[in-house]
Amino acid sequence: MKPWRPRHCTRNGSVPCTLSRFVYINVNPSLISFSLSIPQMFLVALSFAYFAKALSGSYMKSTITQLERRFDIPSYLIGVIDGSFEIGNLLVIAFVSYFGAKLHRPKIIAMGCLLMSFGTFIIALPHFIIGRYEFETSVRWMVNSTQSSSPYLSNSFLPGCEGESNLSMWIYVLLGNVLRGIGETPVQPLGISYIDDFATEENAAFYVGCVQTISVVGPVFGYLLGSLCAKIYVDIGFVKMETITITPADARWVGAWWLGYLIAGVITLLSAIPFWFLPRSLPTAGSRVPKKGTQEEASFIKEAPLPKHKYQAEEHTTFIEMAKDFIPTLRTLLGHPVYVIYLYVVVIQLNSLIGMVTYKPKYIEQHFRQSASKANFLMGVINIPAVALGMFSGGLLMKRLKLNIMGAAKFAFCTSLIGYVLSMFFFAMSCENAKVAGVTVSYDKHSLFMPCNSDCVCSSSEWDPVCGRNGITYVSPCLAGCTTSTGSGKDTVFSNCSCVSVAGNFTAATGQCLNKDDCDRMFPYFLALSVITSFIISLGGTPGYMFLIRCIKPQLKSLALGFHALATRTLAGIPAPIYFGAIIDTTCLKWGQKRCGGVGACRIYNTTAYRIAYLGLTLSLRTISFIICIPGFILLSRQLKEEKKSILHSALTNGGTELEALRKEEFVILNSDLGVNATDNSTDRHTQL
């Protein structure tokens, strides 16, 4: 393909061409095809990596209640385990974001995926080295179901603690989650910056929206996987299921939490493969030099400027030079007032979001008395798709509306504010406490011991609920005053229960009473409002993220993304699950007991106090973030005005310089023409003479 030339340029070069005003085209078609396929390959690979890390992260949140019961730990300690992922990020995020942007980004992402996979496998390790799960119960499995027994003769069947390991097994879960956090570190900042560097400006927001959407689709499968595993008993394959006397709706039930981590680890391992085959950088329009053409063309194309928002990684910068430049670059970034205000707002908003999402399945379980399996299923099928649709729609709207930086900020603020107002209606969606004798309702007063069970030697620390015929749950058959039982396993029926009196019927069945009509009526409204608010709030996700990228200089982009991740993980991801869990623990009414003594997992909560603490803390944090947005908009407006003035001044200065150069060029050409004409005239005169 021959280069295009302006008409006043000749092939022999007798008339000079102004190269700075024209573009030469000599592009190999195969190069175009290859360069267009690589960004698409990277987009697919990054989307799969986002899917894998989102799946394992959401599965971790879906197993919160399972881990609490399996390791007999309170909610605040689960918050520590959940926050350990962010601790792993904190250890390396700044260095990976800064140095990784100057190295081979796809391979660094691949190594991160491998480490994530290894950490996920470690989380599942305790299941294979710890003993079988033994829950507190007074119900025995008997071969002859016609036998009867006296529940209060052996009222507290707590397994011996001689087999309990000296080292708490949850430590392995924490360490594995830390490794997951370290491995996840390069995926977000390096992946997004790679896309933004080599995608056109009009497609960058759309591509980021696609990646963010896939990252939200991952939790759909994560929660569905959590729902499936929660239905399966933890020791499936090692015990006879007919001997298990509890159901998935029981507060002592533990699902096969370890199985999902093995599946998530394999998926994460597969996501690392494509990145090993991707190049360090991609050719851009400004860096393609034609194989055939003049030296002038090659020089022009080589020196053509890149789009102003793109930033290319330095190819030959030494590690020492990069290290010396790190502190000044970080100081420049943190001296940007709009970026700092944005960090404050995002950190507070994420405290609210992370705390809410972490304990939302548990809130559904405890407040609306749903099983862990159903809570996870609803999160995956109803709530998360609404978030995914919102993220995708936000990116699409930003592209269609062509929002600038101010437009993106206003859009994100408005969607968050609307979601905030709608979230207030959650306070009205209440559900009564479960009726538990001596806990939420009283015999005569709030005490477990009454004259009706005074003849029984009962333990107040055990949790082995039975449902009386009067519709009230009793903490144990012994505390219900039962003296005999028939049947075995889940079909055990307790008789002669002196505390249960309904028209002469003194019987009770195993398990908690399922009198939750008020909860079932309110639950669909809760789900509908949850879907609507999730969709509206997530609409501002992609515009808000693009605001982060566009509010700072291109050369600071990777560091800005990395420090953003560092700040959110340090100040939101780590503390939010811990203090949310600690506040939720204060609403516990009945704690379980560890095998060797000490407080275990909570068995039942005060649902009214739980709702006020959980929703009140979430909305209070959002209120603070909206207040901080006010100075943020003022600073952003000033920054945009200053940039506009600077651009205008630069354009006028450059325009004046170019005009002066053109005048000089025309003057030289005019003088040259006059000189030639004068010489020709004198020659004619000599000839005439």
Side-chain angles (χ1 to χ4, degrees), residues 333-650:
L333 178 65
L334 297 182
H336 197 295
V338 174
Y339 177 77
V340 173
I341 290 290
Y342 175 84
L343 278 184
Y344 287 149
V345 174
V346 169
V347 164
I348 297 174
Q349 286 269 10
L350 283 180
N351 267 273
S352 172
L353 179 64
I354 291 172
M356 181 193 68
V357 172
T358 300
Y359 294 99
K360 191 168 187 177
K362 183 171 181 175
Y363 180 76
I364 294 175
E365 289 179 51
Q366 298 297 330
H367 193 273
F368 295 100
R369 298 201 281 278
Q370 305 293 328
S371 67
S373 176
K374 186 175 181 179
N376 291 328
F377 178 81
L378 292 174
M379 283 287 292
V381 173
I382 297 179
N383 204 69
I384 301 300
V387 176
L389 182 61
M391 296 289 288
F392 180 79
S393 300
L396 194 61
L397 283 173
M398 187 174 181
K399 181 180 180 182
R400 291 284 179 87
L401 300 176
K402 298 180 179 179
L403 297 177
N404 57 16
I405 185 173
M406 179 62 81
K410 290 180 178 179
F411 187 87
F413 176 82
C414 290
T415 55
S416 182
L417 183 60
I418 295 172
Y420 169 81
V421 174
L422 291 176
S423 297
M424 293 183 178
F425 289 96
F426 284 123
F427 282 105
M429 298 179 178
S430 61
C431 184
E432 292 184 0
N433 285 311
K435 296 179 180 179
V436 180
V439 180
T440 60
V441 296
S442 61
Y443 299 88
D444 292 320
K445 57 182 180 179
H446 282 282
S447 174
L448 293 175
F449 300 102
M450 295 299 296
C452 60
N453 56 33
S454 60
D455 293 336
C456 310
V457 184
C458 304
S459 170
S460 62
S461 62
E462 69 177 352
W463 177 260
D464 185 20
V466 293
C467 180
R469 294 300 179 185
N470 56 358
I472 296 178
T473 299
Y474 296 85
V475 173
S476 69
C478 183
L479 289 170
C482 303
T483 58
T484 60
S485 66
T486 58
S488 61
K490 299 175 185 176
D491 299 323
T492 302
V493 177
F494 299 93
S495 306
N496 299 324
C497 303
S498 57
C499 296
V500 180
S501 58
V502 179
N505 192 335
F506 299 94
T507 61
T510 57
Q512 228 172 309
C513 294
L514 300 178
N515 48 353
K516 53 175 184 174
D517 293 339
D518 59 328
C519 296
D520 291 339
R521 286 193 299 268
M522 189 60 67
F523 191 49
Y525 297 103
F526 171 83
L527 290 178
L529 184 60
S530 179
V531 168
I532 294 172
T533 54
S534 297
F535 173 78
I536 293 176
I537 292 174
S538 60
L539 276 174
T542 301
Y545 202 80
M546 294 309 298
F547 172 83
L548 167 63
I549 296 176
R550 298 285 183 252
C551 75
I552 41 85
K553 296 179 180 179
Q555 59 268 29
L556 298 175
K557 181 168 48 187
S558 290
L559 183 60
L561 289 170
F563 195 82
H564 167 266
L566 172 66
T568 54
R569 279 157 172 74
T570 306
L571 303 176
I574 296 174
I578 298 175
Y579 66 76
F580 263 82
I583 291 176
I584 290 172
D585 283 339
T586 62
T587 66
C588 183
L589 295 175
K590 177 64 178 176
W591 290 96
Q593 297 294 315
K594 293 183 178 180
R595 290 189 294 175
C596 298
V599 176
C602 184
R603 301 305 188 189
I604 186 171
Y605 291 86
N606 183 332
T607 55
T608 301
Y610 194 143
R611 182 178 71 256
I612 294 174
Y614 175 73
L615 298 177
L617 183 57
T618 300
L619 294 180
S620 297
L621 290 170
R622 292 187 189 177
T623 303
I624 297 173
S625 70
F626 291 137
I627 296 174
I628 299 178
C629 282
I630 297 174
F633 277 110
I634 296 174
L635 291 173
L636 178 60
S637 179
R638 290 179 180 175
Q639 175 182 320
L640 293 178
K641 288 181 181 179
E642 292 176 359
E643 289 180 355
K644 187 175 181 180
K645 290 180 181 179
S646 177
I647 293 173
L648 182 61
H649 180 267
S650 177

Side-chain angles (χ1 to χ4, degrees), residues 213-371:
T213 301
I214 295 296
S215 71
V216 180
V217 171
V220 174
F221 291 89
Y223 280 107
L224 289 179
L225 182 61
S227 175
L228 176 63
C229 294
K231 291 181 180 179
I232 305 172
Y233 187 66
V234 61
D235 292 322
I236 185 73
F238 298 95
V239 297
K240 293 181 179 180
M241 290 306 299
E242 59 269 18
T243 64
I244 305 302
T245 61
I246 57 176
T247 65
D250 196 288
R252 295 163 295 173
W253 176 271
V254 175
W257 60 273
W258 52 273
L259 182 60
Y261 287 110
L262 295 181
I263 297 173
V266 172
I267 294 175
T268 308
L269 184 63
L270 294 176
S271 69
I273 297 175
F275 291 104
W276 295 106
F277 304 98
L278 291 170
R280 172 174 177 170
S281 60
L282 301 179
T284 59
S287 62
R288 294 173 190 156
V289 181
K291 294 181 180 179
K292 296 180 182 180
T294 64
Q295 185 176 1
E296 291 176 316
E297 298 166 10
S299 176
F300 163 69
I301 295 176
K302 182 177 180 181
E303 296 175 0
L306 293 172
K308 69 177 184 176
H309 76 284
K310 305 294 181 185
Y311 174 68
Q312 301 296 314
E314 301 174 25
E315 298 287 342
H316 303 291
T317 306
T318 65
F319 182 84
I320 296 177
E321 291 174 347
M322 290 188 292
K324 289 181 179 179
D325 192 45
F326 176 71
I327 297 300
T329 306
L330 182 61
R331 188 182 297 113
T332 301
L333 178 65
L334 297 182
H336 197 295
V338 174
Y339 177 77
V340 173
I341 290 290
Y342 175 84
L343 278 184
Y344 287 149
V345 174
V346 169
V347 164
I348 297 174
Q349 286 269 10
L350 283 180
N351 267 273
S352 172
L353 179 64
I354 291 172
M356 181 193 68
V357 172
T358 300
Y359 294 99
K360 191 168 187 177
K362 183 171 181 175
Y363 180 76
I364 294 175
E365 289 179 51
Q366 298 297 330
H367 193 273
F368 295 100
R369 298 201 281 278
Q370 305 293 328
S371 67

Side-chain angles (χ1 to χ4, degrees), residues 125-153:
L125 183 62
H127 173 74
F128 301 98
I129 59 179
I130 198 174
R132 301 287 171 258
Y133 175 56
E134 296 176 344
F135 52 89
E136 49 187 336
T137 180
S138 60
V139 179
R140 305 292 210 285
W141 171 259
M142 294 175 292
V143 178
N144 297 323
S145 60
T146 59
Q147 295 180 1
S148 62
S149 62
S150 176
Y152 58 78
L153 293 179

Side-chain angles (χ1 to χ4, degrees), residues 650-677:
S650 177
L652 292 174
T653 304
N654 293 337
T657 304
E658 291 180 0
L659 182 61
E660 185 67 23
L662 288 173
R663 287 176 178 175
K664 289 181 180 180
E665 182 180 351
E666 291 175 359
F667 180 76
V668 171
I669 294 174
L670 180 62
N671 287 341
S672 176
D673 291 341
L674 290 175
V676 170
N677 292 336

Side-chain angles (χ1 to χ4, degrees), residues 8-18:
H8 65 275
C9 294
T10 59
R11 294 183 179 275
N12 57 12
S14 59
V15 179
C17 301
T18 308

